[in-house]
Amino acid sequence: MLSGKRILLIVTGGIAAYKTPDLVRRLRERGAQVRCVLTAGGAQFVTPLALGAVTGDKVYQDLFDLTDEQEMGHIQLSRDADVILVAPASADVLAKMAGGLATDLATTALLATDKPVMVAPAMNVRMWQHAATQANIETLKSRGVTVIGPEEGDMACGEFGPGRMSEPLDIAQALIDFFHGGQPLRGKHALVTSGPTHEPIDPVRYIANRSSGKQGHAIAAALAALGARVTLVTGPVTLKDPIGVATVHVETARDMLAACTEALPADIAVCAAAVADWRTADAAPEKMKKDGKGLPALALAENPDILATLAAPGKNRPALVVGFAAETENVVGHAVAKLKKKGCDWICANDVSPETGTFGGDMNRVHLVTGSGVEDWPPQTKTQVGERLAQRIADHVTAGADATGADAE
Ligand code: C5P
C-alpha cells in the first residue's frame, strides 16, 4: 500500500517519540522506505540506535556533521523523499515551521523541502489548545501541510484531552489515504452555515431557537477531513470552532447572509443553520422598560433566506447546494417541496419533533432527498451524519455530476 514510497520521518521531542519505532515498523510493513531525522529533543525519548535498527538506515541528527553533509546534504535529505512526516510534532517544531525557522537539521530540512509535509502533533492538552499553537496549525494547513490527529485521551502528563499523538496504525492509514486519494475534496471550497441566529429585540433580549450547531459543525469538520477548504459561518453556539476550519461568527440572519456572500465563490454550500425566519422590524436602541402603559407590540419583519439566495442561479452559485429541513411531521413530503421552493440540489430532512431529541442532542436521523430520490439513513450520531454527508458530497463531486445537482449514479 505504501510500496516504493520514501518517507522522511522527523522525530521531535515528546514522550510519544517512544511510539516511533513501532510507527517505522508499520510503515515498512506496508512497503515504505523510511529514513529518520532525530532532533535533540527526540533523542531524549528514543535512541538513534533503536530507530537505526528498525529503519535499517543511518539516523540523521546533526546539521553541522561534516561526514553527513558530504554523504547526504540536508537539502538532498528532504528532496530524497516522497513525503516528510513529522511524528511526534511538538508545539515547538510546529511554531518553527509556521515561522520559517531553520535552527537544526529537522527544521532546515522542512524549510528546504518541496515535498508534501504531514505532521502528527503530540503535546499537553493546554499546549495544543493554546491560541499560538492553533494559529500555527492554521498557518501550516493553509500552506497545504496535512495534520494527522491529535487524538483525545489520557496523557502522559496525567491530564485528559486532545493532544495525544495518533496511533502508528492510524498514521500509516493517513499516509495511505494521502497517496491513494483519501482527500477527494482537496482543492474544493465548501461553505457551511450552522447554529441558530439571534435577532435582537433590544440590547439585552433576542429571538432565538434551540439549534445547538452540532450538526453543522460536524459537517464542516467532516468536509475538512476530506481535504476541502471549509468556511463555517456560525450563529451563537457554545461549541469550539472545528480545527482546520475557517470559522466566521455572526449573530443575525442578515450578518450570516453577508458573511456567506463574502465567502463566495464556493464549490459546495451546506446550509445547516436554523436561521430565524423573522426579526423584529425595529430593534429598540435601549433596553425596553415595563412602564405600566401596557404590553409592547413586537412587529416582525421577514429575514433573507440564505439557502434560497445561495441556490439562486448566478455566476457565483456553488455547484452543489444542500439545505436542511427540520420538520416535526410528514418529514420527507415537506423536504421534497422545500427542495423545489428553495432551488437547492439536495435536502437533508430531519425529524426534530421533541421526542426525537434531535435539537441539542447528539443523534440525528436523516432522509437525504437528491435529484434521484430519497435515501433513508439510520439514526446516527451527528458526527456520523456529518461524515456520511461529506463522503456523499465527495462521491458526487468526484463523479463529475453537473451543476444542476442531478446525480451521476
Ligand atoms: O424554510 P426552512 O427554514 O424550513 O428551511 C430550512 C433550510 O433553509 C435550512 O437549510 C436553513 O439553513 C435554510 N434557511 C436559510 N435562511 C433562512 C431560513 C432557512 O438559509 N432565512
Side-chain angles (χ1 to χ4, degrees):
M1 286 177 284
L2 292 173
S3 183
K5 299 295 179 206
R6 295 163 310 164
I7 298 168
L8 181 67
L9 173 63
I10 296 182
V11 179
T12 71
I15 180 63
Y18 84 87
K19 296 182 184 172
T20 52
D22 186 37
L23 172 61
V24 172
R25 265 192 56 222
R26 303 297 181 186
L27 296 172
R28 292 192 69 193
E29 270 169 12
R30 286 157 182 73
Q33 293 168 31
V34 186
R35 174 172 278 159
C36 284
V37 167
L38 181 61
T39 66
Q44 300 292 324
F45 298 95
V46 63
T47 66
L49 197 63
L51 289 174
V54 286
T55 56
D57 200 347
K58 181 179 168 57
V59 174
Y60 295 82
Q61 288 181 272
D62 194 353
L63 178 59
F64 299 112
D65 184 315
L66 276 181
T67 328
D68 284 358
E69 274 298 304
Q70 275 157 18
E71 283 171 9
M72 166 71 72
H74 60 274
I75 308 280
Q76 192 61 23
L77 198 57
S78 61
R79 299 270 165 90
D80 251 13
D82 296 305
V83 67
I84 300 189
L85 169 65
V86 190
S90 63
D92 179 69
V93 82
L94 295 172
K96 285 180 176 152
M97 288 169 73
L101 271 71
T103 50
D104 61 3
L105 180 60
T107 47
T108 307
L110 283 161
L111 198 59
T113 194
D114 55 358
K115 295 294 161 57
V117 176
M118 303 176 82
V119 296
M123 66 198 72
N124 166 272
V125 55
R126 285 181 218 290
M127 291 170 79
W128 171 252
Q129 287 171 339
H130 195 286
T133 305
Q134 290 302 311
N136 291 333
I137 285 284
E138 288 312 311
T139 302
L140 295 175
K141 281 190 174 171
S142 70
R143 291 184 197 145
V145 171
T146 304
V147 181
I148 307 165
E151 308 303 324
E152 192 170 276
D154 289 324
M155 316 196 81
C157 53
E159 293 190 53
F160 180 89
R164 277 167 68 116
M165 187 174 83
S166 296
E167 292 303 322
L169 276 177
D170 295 330
I171 297 177
Q173 186 57 47
L175 277 147
I176 293 166
D177 290 347
F178 179 79
F179 284 115
H180 300 285
Q183 296 218 305
L185 292 176
R186 193 173 274 267
K188 301 287 179 197
H189 179 209
L191 170 63
V192 180
T193 70
S194 183
T197 61
H198 285 184
E199 308 296 335
I201 296 170
D202 66 20
V204 296
R205 305 181 180 94
Y206 54 82
I207 301 172
N209 61 64
R210 295 182 193 281
S211 168
S212 65
K214 284 182 184 169
Q215 188 58 82
H217 279 54
I219 293 165
L223 288 166
L226 295 186
R229 176 170 73 85
V230 181
T231 305
L232 171 66
V233 181
T234 176
V237 292
T238 55
L239 304 172
K240 288 213 165 65
D241 295 353
I243 291 165
V245 169
T247 306
V248 184
H249 295 265
V250 296
E251 289 237 346
T252 67
R254 286 180 296 173
D255 294 344
M256 187 173 273
L257 177 61
C260 287
T261 313
E262 174 98 343
L264 293 176
D267 304 282
I268 301 148
V270 181
C271 293
V275 184
D277 289 320
W278 305 285
R279 64 177 183 273
T280 48
D282 281 308
E286 306 297 340
K287 185 181 172 194
M288 292 159 69
K289 298 270 187 276
K290 281 189 285 186
D291 56 9
K293 293 184 194 146
L295 297 173
L298 210 55
L300 297 177
E302 193 159 334
N303 266 331
D305 193 311
I306 299 162
L307 174 61
T309 309
L310 293 174
K315 76 171 175 28
N316 262 345
R317 185 195 193 277
L320 181 67
V321 180
V322 184
F324 268 73
E327 304 290 351
T328 53
E329 43 77 44
N330 187 15
V331 176
V332 172
H334 286 310
V336 172
K338 197 158 290 178
L339 184 84
K340 295 208 175 67
K341 190 173 134 215
K342 304 261 185 176
C344 57
D345 305 306
W346 297 356
I347 285 266
C348 286
N350 51 344
D351 188 344
V352 293
S353 47
E355 62 274 17
T356 63
T358 303
F359 261 130
D362 289 322
M363 299 296 287
N364 200 0
R365 181 166 190 181
V366 160
H367 310 272
L368 181 68
V369 181
T370 72
S372 47
V374 181
E375 297 170 21
D376 299 312
W377 294 0
Q380 298 173 99
T381 65
K382 288 180 177 174
T383 305
Q384 287 167 333
V385 169
E387 287 167 357
R388 185 158 175 178
L389 182 63
Q391 190 56 56
R392 188 70 180 72
I393 289 172
D395 293 346
H396 177 83
V397 168
T398 49
D402 68 14
T404 64
D407 273 324
E409 64 268 62

